[in-house]
Amino acid sequence: MPGPGLVAMARRLLAPLMSDGGTGMRETLEAYLRHSGNTRETCRELFIHRNTLTYRLRKIEELLRLDLDDGEVRATCLLALRIVAAGT
């Protein structure tokens, strides 16, 4: 079980994704990371067009001010998503 400080830090990192009610952008990021950046599999899981995925990923990068092409950034985001899920 992650401590409350770690959960708070993870929530702070992901807070900008809650602007749409916390579903669309966060689900997109989770699916993208779960599929190791495989856009075809991500689109298949989310039932969206590739252009929609590209738009959402750009928006996520803009909101979080991060580059999802960076492996360390992807790992940090995945960890933050898991911490938030475990802390709820």
Side-chain angles (χ1 to χ4, degrees):
M1 228 26 193
L6 189 58
V7 173
M9 190 182 328
R11 284 188 177 145
R12 237 185 342 265
L13 172 69
L14 300 171
L17 299 184
M18 301 306 176
S19 63
D20 70 341
T23 56
M25 293 297 180
R26 194 169 81 187
E27 283 179 3
T28 300
L29 180 60
E30 286 182 75
Y32 180 73
L33 296 174
R34 189 172 38 258
H35 292 291
S36 302
N38 183 315
T39 56
R40 172 179 257 163
E41 291 301 315
T42 303
C43 290
R44 189 174 294 158
E45 178 183 329
L46 298 174
F47 303 106
I48 59 174
H49 190 272
R50 187 175 180 164
N51 292 344
T52 302
L53 177 61
T54 301
Y55 168 79
R56 287 184 186 177
L57 292 174
R58 281 191 205 138
K59 187 69 174 172
I60 289 167
E61 287 180 327
E62 180 183 306
L63 289 169
L64 297 180
R65 298 181 189 171
L66 298 172
D67 179 9
L68 291 175
D69 289 333
D70 184 330
E72 288 182 21
V73 168
R74 288 193 310 269
T76 301
C77 289
L78 182 60
L79 186 58
L81 287 165
R82 299 245 169 106
I83 289 169
V84 168
T88 54

